Amino acid sequence: MLSNGPPAVSFLYVVFVILAGLYRVVGGIISPVGDGYGKQGLVASKHRLAMARLALQSSDWVSVDDWESQQPDWTETVVTMRYHYARLAAQNCCNKGPPTTSDVPQLKLLCGADFMDSFKAPGLWTHEHIEEVVGHFGLVCVSRGSLQPDRAIHESDLLSKHRRSIFLVREWVHNEISATEIRRALRRGHSVKYLLPDSVIEYIKEHKLYTQDSEMKNKDIKLRPLTKQAIQD
């Protein structure tokens, strides 16, 4: 699950280096969104961070970062990417701009095919932010079930313009597990054994997360990206 596991909502950023003209993944960063995002049923960031860390205890390449979740207001994806890239650049003693050379590890947003449709949602993204996320940083987009990102790219002039910055990954073994379905199962008291690490399941039970009551949180609140964009306009 790329961005919506029961620690929803998070993004996974992947870090690449270029060796002999080929990309090699050297790291990943899970960045849970802040509580101000306003999505219905969104549990507190402290719980999402804790669950992500439990789930990744055995990983030697994916880390959890709390910077985005600790900001006083919801933070645009591009702002979070700038922050993480600046850290990478500082660690490698390089300039703190968008990645332009093979000397610097490159940061890309890893997403599922369904994420591509968010670029078309009115008021959710600005044109400039799409340009920077896709054009300067780049995407790694994984097919999801019957959804294929090729069509989204074809139907968007902006995405087509930056096609070379979008890396498509086709999942030949389909995995229909979704965070939405897992949260639904939890609300209904169904077992999610083998779908989540046991440590995460125990944490959810201990803190009584993903219940019928918790699903009502933010029920009548607009997503912060929509209200923030309206204020800026």
Side-chain angles (χ1 to χ4, degrees):
M1 290 165 288
L2 300 179
S3 60
N4 288 329
V9 174
S10 305
F11 283 118
L12 175 58
Y13 304 99
V14 286
V15 184
F16 293 84
V17 295
I18 302 177
L19 297 174
L22 300 175
Y23 283 103
R24 182 169 68 90
V25 179
V26 296
I29 305 165
I30 292 281
S31 180
V33 75
D35 293 335
Y37 183 57
K39 181 180 178 180
Q40 181 173 337
L42 185 67
V43 303
S45 59
K46 65 178 182 180
H47 294 311
R48 290 180 282 116
L49 284 164
M51 288 186 287
R53 287 170 176 147
L54 286 171
L56 293 169
Q57 281 180 329
S58 62
S59 176
D60 60 0
W61 73 278
V62 182
S63 61
V64 180
D65 188 274
D66 65 359
W67 180 84
E68 181 179 359
S69 66
Q70 300 305 306
Q71 299 309 299
D73 193 4
W74 167 77
T75 303
E76 294 91 339
T77 300
V78 70
V79 174
T80 302
M81 294 191 77
R82 290 172 191 159
Y83 165 78
H84 287 300
Y85 184 76
R87 288 184 61 194
L88 288 172
Q91 290 169 5
N92 288 271
C93 301
C94 297
N95 293 327
K96 297 185 179 181
T100 56
T101 76
S102 59
D103 297 329
V104 188
Q106 296 193 17
L107 181 72
K108 300 186 184 301
L109 173 62
L110 178 64
C111 64
D114 51 339
F115 176 82
M116 302 288 274
D117 288 335
S118 74
F119 291 133
K120 299 185 294 185
L124 200 57
W125 291 86
T126 67
H127 181 92
E128 294 75 17
H129 286 180
I130 298 175
E131 278 274 3
E132 188 170 349
V133 169
V134 182
H136 284 306
F137 291 106
L139 302 178
V140 177
C141 186
V142 183
S143 62
R144 187 170 187 179
S146 61
L147 296 173
Q148 299 299 335
D150 312 62
R151 178 169 293 278
I153 297 172
H154 171 73
E155 293 176 348
S156 167
D157 291 342
L158 183 54
L159 295 181
S160 294
K161 172 185 173 183
H162 297 297
R163 177 181 289 271
R164 291 181 179 274
S165 297
I166 304 173
F167 296 81
L168 303 181
V169 179
R170 188 177 298 277
E171 288 275 49
W172 293 109
V173 179
H174 289 179
N175 182 350
E176 299 298 336
I177 299 172
S178 74
T180 299
E181 289 300 327
I182 291 177
R183 292 194 297 272
R184 180 178 290 123
L186 288 166
R187 288 199 309 272
R188 295 175 180 177
H190 297 167
S191 173
V192 292
K193 183 77 171 177
Y194 308 119
L195 299 179
L196 298 176
D198 289 344
S199 58
V200 175
I201 295 175
E202 288 304 314
Y203 187 94
I204 290 170
K205 290 179 179 178
E206 178 185 350
H207 295 277
K208 297 180 174 60
L209 306 178
Y210 305 112
T211 64
Q212 294 289 350
D213 289 338
S214 70
E215 183 62 21
M216 293 298 102
K217 183 180 178 181
N218 297 330
K219 183 177 183 295
D220 298 316
I221 297 178
K222 279 189 176 183
L223 287 178
R224 181 57 176 146
L226 300 178
T227 60
K228 192 171 184 178
Q229 184 61 34
I231 292 172
Q232 291 173 345
D233 290 344

